[in-house]
Amino acid sequence: MDGTTINNLQPGDEVNGAYALRGKKLLPYRDGKGFFIRLTLADKTGRVEGLVWEQAEEINKCCRAGDVVQVTGRVTEYNGAIQLNLASVEKCPDDQVVPERFISSTGITREEVWETWLNIAATIKTPPLKQLLLLMANDQNLMEAMAGSPAAKHNHHALLGGLWQHSMGIVKAAEGVAAAYPRVDRDLLVTGALLHDIGKIEEYRVRADIDYTDAGRLLGHIVLGAGLVDRYIARVPGFPAVLRLKLLHMIVSHHGHYEWQSPKRPKFLEAAILHQLDMIDAQVDMFGAATSSGRAPGDNWTGWVRSLDRYVFCG
Amino acid sequence: MDGTTINNLQPGDEVNGAYALRGKKLLPYRDGKGFFIRLTLADKTGRVEGLVWEQAEEINKCCRAGDVVQVTGRVTEYNGAIQLNLASVEKCPDDQVVPERFISSTGITREEVWETWLNIAATIKTPPLKQLLLLMANDQNLMEAMAGSPAAKHNHHALLGGLWQHSMGIVKAAEGVAAAYPRVDRDLLVTGALLHDIGKIEEYRVRADIDYTDAGRLLGHIVLGAGLVDRYIARVPGFPAVLRLKLLHMIVSHHGHYEWQSPKRPKFLEAAILHQLDMIDAQVDMFGAATSSGRAPGDNWTGWVRSLDRYVFCG
Amino acid sequence: MDGTTINNLQPGDEVNGAYALRGKKLLPYRDGKGFFIRLTLADKTGRVEGLVWEQAEEINKCCRAGDVVQVTGRVTEYNGAIQLNLASVEKCPDDQVVPERFISSTGITREEVWETWLNIAATIKTPPLKQLLLLMANDQNLMEAMAGSPAAKHNHHALLGGLWQHSMGIVKAAEGVAAAYPRVDRDLLVTGALLHDIGKIEEYRVRADIDYTDAGRLLGHIVLGAGLVDRYIARVPGFPAVLRLKLLHMIVSHHGHYEWQSPKRPKFLEAAILHQLDMIDAQVDMFGAATSSGRAPGDNWTGWVRSLDRYVFCG
Amino acid sequence: MDGTTINNLQPGDEVNGAYALRGKKLLPYRDGKGFFIRLTLADKTGRVEGLVWEQAEEINKCCRAGDVVQVTGRVTEYNGAIQLNLASVEKCPDDQVVPERFISSTGITREEVWETWLNIAATIKTPPLKQLLLLMANDQNLMEAMAGSPAAKHNHHALLGGLWQHSMGIVKAAEGVAAAYPRVDRDLLVTGALLHDIGKIEEYRVRADIDYTDAGRLLGHIVLGAGLVDRYIARVPGFPAVLRLKLLHMIVSHHGHYEWQSPKRPKFLEAAILHQLDMIDAQVDMFGAATSSGRAPGDNWTGWVRSLDRYVFCG
Amino acid sequence: MDGTTINNLQPGDEVNGAYALRGKKLLPYRDGKGFFIRLTLADKTGRVEGLVWEQAEEINKCCRAGDVVQVTGRVTEYNGAIQLNLASVEKCPDDQVVPERFISSTGITREEVWETWLNIAATIKTPPLKQLLLLMANDQNLMEAMAGSPAAKHNHHALLGGLWQHSMGIVKAAEGVAAAYPRVDRDLLVTGALLHDIGKIEEYRVRADIDYTDAGRLLGHIVLGAGLVDRYIARVPGFPAVLRLKLLHMIVSHHGHYEWQSPKRPKFLEAAILHQLDMIDAQVDMFGAATSSGRAPGDNWTGWVRSLDRYVFCG
Amino acid sequence: MDGTTINNLQPGDEVNGAYALRGKKLLPYRDGKGFFIRLTLADKTGRVEGLVWEQAEEINKCCRAGDVVQVTGRVTEYNGAIQLNLASVEKCPDDQVVPERFISSTGITREEVWETWLNIAATIKTPPLKQLLLLMANDQNLMEAMAGSPAAKHNHHALLGGLWQHSMGIVKAAEGVAAAYPRVDRDLLVTGALLHDIGKIEEYRVRADIDYTDAGRLLGHIVLGAGLVDRYIARVPGFPAVLRLKLLHMIVSHHGHYEWQSPKRPKFLEAAILHQLDMIDAQVDMFGAATSSGRAPGDNWTGWVRSLDRYVFCG
């Protein structure tokens, strides 16, 4: 379950590795005798065309677009582009797929998440919130999930570690805004910022791509996150009842509007600010992605940016 | 904590009972020497005016509109209307207030709820759903709460027992619709109908009126209900994972639209039908209330009905 | 105006039949001398490619995509697929097109509609409504139209007989719901259910596909249906004026919202319920179609379902 | 069924006339012995207070707010204002109420409408449209209804003759716009302008105020108008089928948007322009009313204008 | 144009000062001979009732609600409340009204604004932005207007100096957010934060209350602000053309959505963040105002907060 | 910078001219040795395919889709279609592109605009409005810009001179409507009609296509137009302050709704009418374009018209 990444394939190399099968077509030979397969393989570094000249009909049945396949063969070149002549193609079992080969990653590790999490907890002065964060930090599975989870399927922070990146952006902005407004309960805002999207560890699954889990599509990260945090709170002795409601409310209301799938709108200041910071962090990522993707030199505008529903100015 | 209901007060009677204090005004005597209080008392049978002639300033401080008060005095008559001359007025502690004195009730009892619940469970053929319902039926506090809870603060089923009345309407309609469409999973639809609004037992509190709890306003009955049912499911050994998601999804999506505070829209047929039946049952109650409230004889139309945002035809 | 259906064509057969021309392309021979036509033919069982090697330019002018064409030729095979080598292609006159060859059908007959209609009328106890239904049953053209009309161009019940299927679904559900709520006027609800979409017999025309009539696009089935029913009512002596308004109102308001092209919103309970039942029946059809169309084994979700604007869960 | 108008009442006069009863209150004498009535009477020229000192309880039962009452008594003065001391108050039967006493009127007569209608018809060159208009002109009841009908209950043209005033405004503007755009079918636009709101003669009824008829609330002037015009068209031999659909479509679509109760949006240019002209004419009336109602000298702005949902500039 | 503030009036004092006339009623003496005036006077510290016993009819004509009036008289007491017996009441000319008597103020001075403005300019490293801010700082009228202007008529920062308070909140939050995201152009964001609402100095006028100017209602602070800043930019030699468009765009788009009166939506990151910070600062003010206004002890919720369209949690 | 238009190219001709490069593809020769380019060239009369057989790789780098290119070569024919064999392809500098070659034009000249403008000014009786129009007429650059500017990038009046065509349509309709309603200030309405879209001369730039300028996308023609007209007003001595606000308001509010990018809604009658006339003129153009574009004979309906979001009836 390994192999050279696509951007490193060289003509003449042997190839033996796992790639995501994006498309596949069974085509007849020109002489009408038999078939070959033209397939598109991908990993996070790029795409390459592959050709299977033998046993095409059998191989065609054993896998379909969306699978990860283990292939062997040789790298060739055609019209200046790399191409693979494949001897074998086999479907990889789901549990042997290594998402990092297919999805970009921030590279953050469980240990780094754990350390930063403790650093944040160290700044919290409200005892029950501090206790809650310390309790959660002890859960290595949780730290692992926080380190590996994406924050979305498309649009913003759609990469391994994206959830943590997004949460950290908001935690930092929360500290900046809390410093500007003495009226804000900094500990509550920062804790809410850290935990607001935690339900996403149950909303997405990663294999050769990011997709929703059944629970993600049927319940969503808001309901999942409120349930998840509530189970940790239940383990903090004497966690104040009102503080529990406030923290859960921040999760429940952080999308800010019913239309955006929050069943409650923010009912106090920290919840209201959390929603705005969530918007800011998403926009930093989306505007950044829009302006850094390739434009022709001299253009002041990106093409249409679907996630932002507008053209973006880069002048 | 008792007393004659307002519609039974007779001139000349002594009065000694608990009433809801709807309004209160400290007024000066015409000669400018001292003050008296004019207050409005209510229970679910009506309203009556009361007057406190002595110690008005002390009594004025001990209670406020919204409280329930224990009063003593005598019933008089003025201009053809009943009036109370009160000797004493004292605030009742919250835990001594009997909601049935102030809010209409269907009169359903815990035992009746329990019995009907078991009858419904008896029609369910899907084992885990049947087990879940039987487990819940054993929880006497739950049956008590289902019997006493309203389904709303205003508009429809806003009375003690209203939640049960509303749930039963939908269960019956669900049976009718399931009979019309063989494609419908009857057991899932009926169970969803029974449980969809169960979070309302934590969303409302009743005293002298129906009001939201903090949890109700901050989390709402959809999030509360999903959590509540999930805790019962956890106690049914071997409850299928997908069936759990489907049942919780029916709770989460039963408002049908994001704008109506469902964080997910119905993703399968039974969830979609449940939402429509919820609409039908609410409309049966609201149209019924609109047309049975007093109109002048000969009028074909009600006045403006706020809950339905329209005039209703009764011709 | 007949011919083998596409799914029954066998290599080597002669073909002589009417097919819907979905697409057509005039292409040059490789040697640059003259042209041939590649066209796509369809009936309700599938699609097949056809080729015209001679007189291509003349034939190209005589018909266009959207027409039904009468073709003769021979069935061949190419790369494992059926193909037609056509000797002649001629446009069929509109009045010779048999829609059943091109559009799926429930197969319901005028007689069956008539019989069911009488059965429904037999359950109606309100004399003027019963008289109206009996009068309409006598109109054989109406029964014919009800048996053959689709209920939509896309999405739900878009087949010959779809209007009747849809109306019957709602009538049955109406009976179920009326049984659950004694307050409902069953006769009015059932009659409204039967007649609510009757304007669709003037809104659609069927030939090789379902399309709107001019009257359908310019006036719509709500205005057409109200006019149509009103003309039958005018023939029932002594039909009560208020009952006429109520029945016409149910047609006019059955889409429930202005945005959905109802010029009035439901003003009484039966009209309100009719709208909800219309929604339920459409959803039964749309969810059913979504989950029964081909998915890969193991998938818990359909692809994006345009008519429902969502992914549908089939787990 | 006559009497001096309120603005002409003089202290000392006898009064004997019909007035609209806007409000009524049975009040006890200060000595607690018996009751008197204070009532508010109105006609289109103003309001006056009346007092009934004898037989108050009997009189109180015979009428209610909203009725028109025939009163006798004497005009007095109190604190500089006119007051009526009434000897008798009796409800007027609905069919004896003369709306002109209570609702402002343009004063247009049936004959004037008829004459103008013929003048418009004379400018129409399209034979079937001209024939239709001439046929309608012959219907004296129709001319009477057009002359007397309001165009609304509130907001714009809410007076007797308002429908005609509104229709004439649009006809004139239609002529101006048709002159600017040669592409416009002037005859169709002008005919549509004349007939677009004709359903209002069945939508409103006038007595002591303007109110909706049952048909108006249940079907609305769009459905009523399309039906009404269609019945006249049926009497014009050989009226072209497409022209019928176009004219009916202009009625059906003239509100321009589904949300504004048009079940179809304009599908050709003349229908689209008719909608815009309808908007312009309503705005001319609403802005005009807003700026001509009393402001303090020096104010550049009206108060909040509900019909326009804004403040209006008069600087 | 001075006088004791209402909260400092003592029974027995002479009064001679300017107050806002909020309401006024001419009332007849009980004996029917002549009239007196009851009026309501206000300044920013409260309200008091006044009575004019002589020359009431003349005085009644000389002023109206909304005016500021200069009154003389004596303070009395009635039923425990202060009352004024007034000998004279005269309208104050508009240009003699001192807004600080009637509208709360932050008390910020032109000098303080100027100093802070220079401090902000000192942190800007982009030369043309620094030059622009320094140029504006030199305009004493501008500094004066910035110090005295409100940021709204209602809802948030509706006090003298409110515009500066609001701008400073956003500038500080902008610094915090810029520190969290290196991708952000801090200088552009901070300058935009400082200038985004500058058009409000032309949108509001203050006298006895805050109201819109004609220019404010007809053009709005977005159009006014863009014009105003553009005139200063024109005076900075060599201000880059693109930077000018970006700064003006930040003003034009800072409401974020068309529906909120921004004719353009944010097209680059700093404009997008500015909109979110504007939301945060308004919410800090509105939630703060909601929770600090008087609630009964023990209540966890405010009453309905109109500006936020919700109840606010204070638990 | 000239050349035969595409519709006039004849096989055998030499070609030497400027064309818009719409697309381009570098393709390998079949023998795998080297490359050729297939490109699509366009002017406003049509499209043609071109082929570059030599120096393909160099030429490929010197230009890209969207550029205007100067080409030399010869006209050939392939399969009945014109084709260009090109010897050279070079990018044209932007300032040498002649938009008239690529974009349709009304052909109106600066002189004709100027003359019509003066004729309109001659009908204006309000002195400051007349002075303003005369002053503007003197600005030859303005007249030039008005003559050459489009009114849109797509949809309606998207051609050189389209702005003038659109403005003249509204001026004429304004005269017609003003004649129908004496209450309308004709001079104000006509002046507003003439100037309402003037900001479009800064919103669009024309080269080989119509596109937005940076100022157009960042500020929009409403803000640009208000600024532009305000600078002319500043040069009319004694232009009344209120009239200035009214005229600028008409520009600012002419889209009628916030959602359509007007930061203010019309606050007086002439502004309200101007918005409606703007709608009418756009619809005349869009319906006209829809019905005159090619349909099959016998079709009563256009295909889907994107700009109108509907099918259009042409029966």
Side-chain angles (χ1 to χ4, degrees), chain E residues 236-292:
Chain E
V236 179
F239 199 95
V242 163
L243 190 59
R244 168 183 170 265
L245 288 179
K246 290 178 85 167
L247 195 54
L248 295 181
H249 173 75
M250 290 176 81
I251 294 172
V252 163
S253 71
H254 83 268
H255 282 193
H257 304 276
Y258 301 152
E259 296 83 339
W260 295 350
Q261 303 186 253
S262 259
K264 288 288 171 186
R265 295 179 300 151
K267 302 289 195 195
F268 49 83
L269 181 57
E270 292 76 14
I273 293 179
L274 177 57
H275 165 60
Q276 302 295 345
L277 296 179
D278 192 24
M279 302 281 288
I280 288 178
D281 192 74
Q283 286 175 343
V284 169
D285 199 68
M286 292 188 292
F287 275 96
T291 55
S292 59

Side-chain angles (χ1 to χ4, degrees), chain F residues 62 83 101:
Chain F
C62 79
Q83 215 176 44
R101 272 187 72 81

Side-chain angles (χ1 to χ4, degrees), chain A residues 67-79:
Chain A
D67 288 343
V68 170
V69 289
Q70 186 75 20
V71 304
T72 62
R74 184 173 294 275
V75 184
T76 64
E77 187 170 9
Y78 181 72
N79 269 345

Side-chain angles (χ1 to χ4, degrees), chain C:
Chain C
M1 201 49 212
D2 203 338
T4 313
T5 55
I6 286 169
N7 61 341
N8 286 324
L9 293 172
Q10 297 296 337
D13 288 358
E14 299 271 336
V15 62
N16 178 351
Y19 300 94
L21 181 60
R22 296 296 185 213
K24 193 185 55 151
K25 213 166 182 179
L26 188 70
L27 294 163
Y29 281 115
R30 295 212 176 171
D31 60 6
K33 295 177 181 156
F35 296 87
F36 66 102
I37 311 178
R38 175 177 294 144
L39 33 69
T40 306
L41 299 173
D43 63 15
K44 72 180 169 189
T45 71
R47 292 183 163 229
V48 67
E49 183 169 278
L51 295 158
V52 182
W53 300 109
E54 302 194 9
Q55 291 185 289
E57 285 171 286
E58 291 78 353
I59 288 177
N60 188 45
K61 281 174 202 151
C62 79
C63 57
R64 58 186 179 122
D67 287 343
V68 171
V69 288
Q70 186 76 21
V71 306
T72 63
R74 183 172 297 273
V75 184
T76 64
E77 187 171 7
Y78 180 72
N79 269 345
I82 291 293
Q83 215 174 45
L84 304 186
N85 275 317
L86 299 175
S88 73
V89 178
E90 279 172 41
K91 184 180 186 309
C92 284
D94 276 2
D95 56 2
Q96 289 177 28
V97 173
V98 180
E100 284 81 358
R101 272 188 71 82
F102 305 105
I103 311 170
S104 293
S105 168
T106 63
I108 193 91
T109 63
R110 187 187 69 190
E111 289 70 27
E112 289 164 336
V113 165
W114 176 74
E115 208 170 324
T116 308
W117 187 291
L118 288 182
N119 288 341
I120 294 168
T123 72
I124 301 291
K125 301 207 177 72
T126 312
L129 293 176
K130 186 188 279 276
Q131 283 170 268
L132 175 65
L133 292 189
L134 293 176
L135 177 86
M136 294 175 85
N138 277 340
D139 184 337
Q140 298 209 3
N141 289 333
L142 178 65
M143 294 298 109
E144 180 93 31
M146 287 301 289
S149 181
K153 185 164 149 60
H154 302 297
N155 293 345
H156 71 92
H157 300 102
L159 76 177
L160 303 178
L163 172 60
W164 186 249
Q165 195 179 49
H166 174 58
S167 304
M168 285 309 95
I170 301 185
V171 164
K172 267 180 227 150
E175 289 167 345
V177 166
Y181 297 110
R183 180 176 278 156
V184 169
D185 178 340
R186 181 205 171 278
D187 284 359
L188 184 61
L189 181 59
V190 168
T191 307
L194 182 60
L195 302 183
H196 77 289
D197 260 353
I198 200 169
K200 288 187 172 175
I201 66 177
E202 299 181 358
E203 189 177 34
Y204 297 105
R205 64 127 193 78
V206 287
R207 283 205 288 265
D209 58 3
I210 301 171
D211 206 348
Y212 288 97
T213 59
D214 287 352
R217 274 229 181 96
L218 289 173
L219 303 182
H221 71 269
I222 279 189
V223 169
L224 292 169
L228 200 152
V229 170
D230 204 17
R231 288 192 289 274
Y232 285 104
I233 288 177
R235 292 165 51 198
V236 179
F239 199 94
V242 162
L243 190 58
R244 168 183 170 266
L245 287 179
K246 289 179 85 166
L247 196 54
L248 296 181
H249 173 76
M250 289 176 80
I251 294 172
V252 163
S253 70
H254 83 267
H255 282 193
H257 305 275
Y258 300 152
E259 295 84 340
W260 295 350
Q261 302 186 251
S262 260
K264 288 288 171 185
R265 294 179 301 151
K267 302 289 195 194
F268 49 83
L269 181 57
E270 292 76 13
I273 293 179
L274 177 57
H275 165 60
Q276 303 294 344
L277 296 178
D278 192 23
M279 303 280 288
I280 288 178
D281 193 74
Q283 286 175 344
V284 169
D285 199 67
M286 291 188 293
F287 275 97
T291 56
S292 59
S293 67
R295 276 165 299 129
D299 271 4
N300 276 347
W301 293 88
T302 65
W304 183 257
V305 181
R306 195 184 160 86
S307 64
L308 287 164
D309 183 35
R310 71 193 71 177
Y311 295 93
V312 169
F313 186 65
C314 345

Side-chain angles (χ1 to χ4, degrees), chain E residues 163-286:
Chain E
L163 172 60
W164 185 249
Q165 196 179 48
H166 174 57
S167 303
M168 284 309 94
I170 301 186
V171 164
K172 268 180 226 151
E175 288 166 347
V177 166
Y181 297 110
R183 179 175 279 156
V184 168
D185 179 340
R186 182 205 172 276
D187 284 359
L188 183 61
L189 181 60
V190 168
T191 306
L194 181 62
L195 302 183
H196 76 291
D197 261 352
I198 200 169
K200 288 187 172 175
I201 66 177
E202 298 181 0
E203 188 176 35
Y204 298 106
R205 65 128 193 76
V206 288
R207 283 204 288 266
D209 58 4
I210 301 171
D211 206 347
Y212 288 96
T213 59
D214 286 352
R217 274 229 182 96
L218 289 173
L219 302 182
H221 71 270
I222 279 189
V223 170
L224 292 169
L228 200 151
V229 170
D230 204 16
R231 288 192 290 274
Y232 284 104
I233 288 177
R235 291 163 52 197
V236 179
F239 199 95
V242 163
L243 190 59
R244 168 183 170 265
L245 288 179
K246 290 178 85 167
L247 195 54
L248 295 181
H249 173 75
M250 290 176 81
I251 294 172
V252 163
S253 71
H254 83 268
H255 282 193
H257 304 276
Y258 301 152
E259 296 83 339
W260 295 350
Q261 303 186 253
S262 259
K264 288 288 171 186
R265 295 179 300 151
K267 302 289 195 195
F268 49 83
L269 181 57
E270 292 76 14
I273 293 179
L274 177 57
H275 165 60
Q276 302 295 345
L277 296 179
D278 192 24
M279 302 281 288
I280 288 178
D281 192 74
Q283 286 175 343
V284 169
D285 199 68
M286 292 188 292

